[in-house]
Amino acid sequence: MPANRAPRPALLLDITRSVARSGLSRPTGIDRVERAYLDWALTRPGGVWLTARLGPEGQGGRVYLIPPDNAEDVARRIGPGHRTTGPIDWRGRLEIWQPPVLRTAETAIRRASIATCRLAEPALRPILAQAFPAGGTWLNVGHENIAAPLLAALRGVGVRSFVMIHDLIPITHPQFARQDAARRFRARLEAALGADRHLYNSHATGQAVDQYAAEERRERPLGDVLPLGISPLSSPPPPPTQQKTVEKVPVPPAGHFVQLGTIEGRKNHALTLAIWRELNEAEPRDRAPHLHIVGRRGWAAERVAAMLDHEPMIGRTVFEHASLDDEAVAKLLVSARALLMPSFAEGYGLPVAEALAARVPVIASDLPALREVGGAAPEWLDPHDPQAWRAAIRDYARPHSPRRDAQIARLAAWQPPNWHTHFTRLEEALEWV
């Protein structure tokens, strides 16, 4: 190891996102990344310190510091897919509007913490200095709790900050963001530009940050592109009373397709629903392929929501699944004719990697970030070209589709990204001084 490189003595991981999303049925892509980092960090020699913000975003939130001895217990009680309930403290009992799983998670944070203060309080720096007299590295991969006062306090006590940027979609495509989300995201990005180092999930994301920094005449820290690994599409089954299963409907000879992801404007569900409306008009009901839309309803998708609520094909050839667990999703995906991903914008595209790893064909938008994941294997189409999508879906629905068979042949050369390589490269980055 070069003389100017040495591993830092402590690692801090921010888990604000995982705490806030405790109990949700299915993790999003960023949720999966933060969980993968937590699982990895728990296995490192010396353990990991955790930070979490409870309360409102910005300086009004309260930051908690959790030592390695308590980290594993906290990990068992937080995150999407976790349904574990446990003790709820007096503060949690007052928040009766919150689900019990979230109140349990926040109680675990408060009880495991050795110190806490509000983000804007000057006491934050002394608290960190007492815990980390020799410095350390703070990792944030969840797009939450990225605030200038916290980064300044970390730097003031010699703790470096590494922040992962997943995408700039609220800035580059504000038409697909929640109201006011672009302003809040810009504030986080401005704070992230003050970090010591960036981590990017794709070259496309790194280039977007470069362009933003250039336009704003801002310097940005050094960055590392670390392609994300794939978490297995399986999970322990929930209790019988909470199980969510796929409707048992006869599968037509044309099979079924899956569209996976939050139902939001940029995912372009309107295109697939319009195609299925045409298929239903052109084909007998028992011959039209099925479409399974897997994901919770989100934002900027009012037209799609109206179609899902009122179209006669819903429940016949189109099926919406808002709360399937990973096991049920995996069963749907592995038997699909193809995964459909007609997005207008993406930062990485974990569903593409998950489908290809299961040797399921993919028909996706020709976006730089998705091409980084899928390479030459998928069918790449323009998300603005419904005719091309219609033709591809019809081709792939045929029982013996030469076009689909050709992609399956291409899949033999595709290698899935993995977390081992990701974290090996991360360890190399952490040695940087």
Side-chain angles (χ1 to χ4, degrees), residues 276-357:
W276 251 263
R277 179 194 288 161
E278 295 177 9
L279 291 172
N280 275 266
E281 294 173 353
E283 299 281 354
R285 175 178 168 184
D286 61 349
R287 294 181 59 188
H290 288 179
L291 171 64
H292 291 273
I293 295 176
V294 181
R296 294 180 300 111
R297 295 193 185 188
W299 50 94
E302 292 78 9
R303 177 187 168 198
V304 169
M307 295 178 75
L308 290 171
D309 288 336
H310 302 296
E311 283 284 344
M313 62 186 174
I314 305 303
R316 296 179 177 179
T317 58
V318 176
F319 305 89
E320 180 186 5
H321 310 283
S323 55
L324 292 184
D325 60 34
D326 280 358
E327 185 178 14
V329 173
K331 288 179 180 178
L332 262 184
L333 188 59
V334 297
S335 57
R337 302 298 292 172
L339 172 79
L340 305 178
M341 198 162 184
S343 305
F344 292 118
E346 291 288 347
Y348 186 70
L350 276 175
V352 170
E354 291 171 340
L356 296 179

Side-chain angles (χ1 to χ4, degrees), residues 120-132:
E121 291 178 0
L124 182 57
R125 185 177 293 187
I127 287 173
L128 292 171
Q130 183 176 3
F132 308 106

Side-chain angles (χ1 to χ4, degrees), residues 257 271-272 274-279 282 289 340 363 381-382 385-398 403:
F257 294 77
L271 179 142
T272 47
I275 290 173
W276 251 263
R277 179 194 288 161
E278 295 177 9
L279 291 172
L340 305 178
I363 307 174
L381 301 177
D382 184 341
D385 188 351
Q387 185 175 352
W389 282 85
R390 187 185 310 111
I393 289 168
R394 282 186 176 275
D395 284 345
Y396 276 64
R398 292 191 175 98
R403 192 170 177 179

Side-chain angles (χ1 to χ4, degrees), residues 72-108:
E72 192 167 343
D73 181 65
V74 166
R76 287 196 296 266
R77 300 177 183 274
I78 65 169
H82 288 251
R83 298 177 175 86
T84 303
T85 57
I88 298 177
D89 61 11
W90 67 267
R91 188 173 301 175
R93 288 194 291 272
L94 294 176
E95 297 175 341
I96 57 175
W97 61 89
Q98 299 283 17
V101 174
L102 178 57
R103 289 187 281 164
T104 293
E106 293 189 346
T107 296

Side-chain angles (χ1 to χ4, degrees), residues 156-199:
V157 298
V159 175
R160 304 172 307 164
S161 54
F162 281 43
V163 174
M164 178 173 283
I165 308 295
H166 294 267
D167 62 68
L168 265 63
I169 292 172
I171 293 175
T172 59
H173 297 77
Q175 69 271 33
F176 299 131
R178 290 189 182 96
Q179 186 178 11
D180 201 39
R183 179 192 62 79
R184 290 185 286 108
F185 186 88
R186 189 180 295 269
R188 294 177 195 166
L189 181 58
E190 287 292 324
L193 289 174
D196 293 300
R197 202 171 183 101
H198 279 175
L199 306 174

Side-chain angles (χ1 to χ4, degrees), residues 122-258:
L124 182 57
R125 185 177 293 187
I127 287 173
L128 292 171
Q130 183 176 3
F132 308 106
T137 302
W138 179 74
L139 281 170
N140 184 305
V141 299
H143 273 197
E144 298 286 346
N145 200 28
I146 305 172
L150 177 57
L151 268 64
L154 291 165
R155 182 176 294 110
V157 298
V159 175
R160 304 172 307 164
S161 54
F162 281 43
V163 174
M164 178 173 283
I165 308 295
H166 294 267
D167 62 68
L168 265 63
I169 292 172
I171 293 175
T172 59
H173 297 77
Q175 69 271 33
F176 299 131
R178 290 189 182 96
Q179 186 178 11
D180 201 39
R183 179 192 62 79
R184 290 185 286 108
F185 186 88
R186 189 180 295 269
R188 294 177 195 166
L189 181 58
E190 287 292 324
L193 289 174
D196 293 300
R197 202 171 183 101
H198 279 175
L199 306 174
Y200 302 121
N201 56 359
S202 67
H203 290 280
T205 298
Q207 290 165 3
V209 174
D210 283 343
Q211 182 175 348
Y212 175 85
E215 291 173 352
E216 299 295 321
R217 298 182 179 180
R218 293 287 308 277
E219 292 185 7
R220 71 161 183 83
L222 294 174
D224 301 274
V225 176
L226 304 179
L228 305 176
I230 302 173
S231 299
L233 277 177
S234 62
S235 61
T241 57
Q242 298 180 1
Q243 283 185 351
K244 300 290 184 179
T245 58
V246 180
E247 289 89 340
K248 293 182 178 180
V249 294
V251 179
H256 71 266
F257 294 77
V258 173

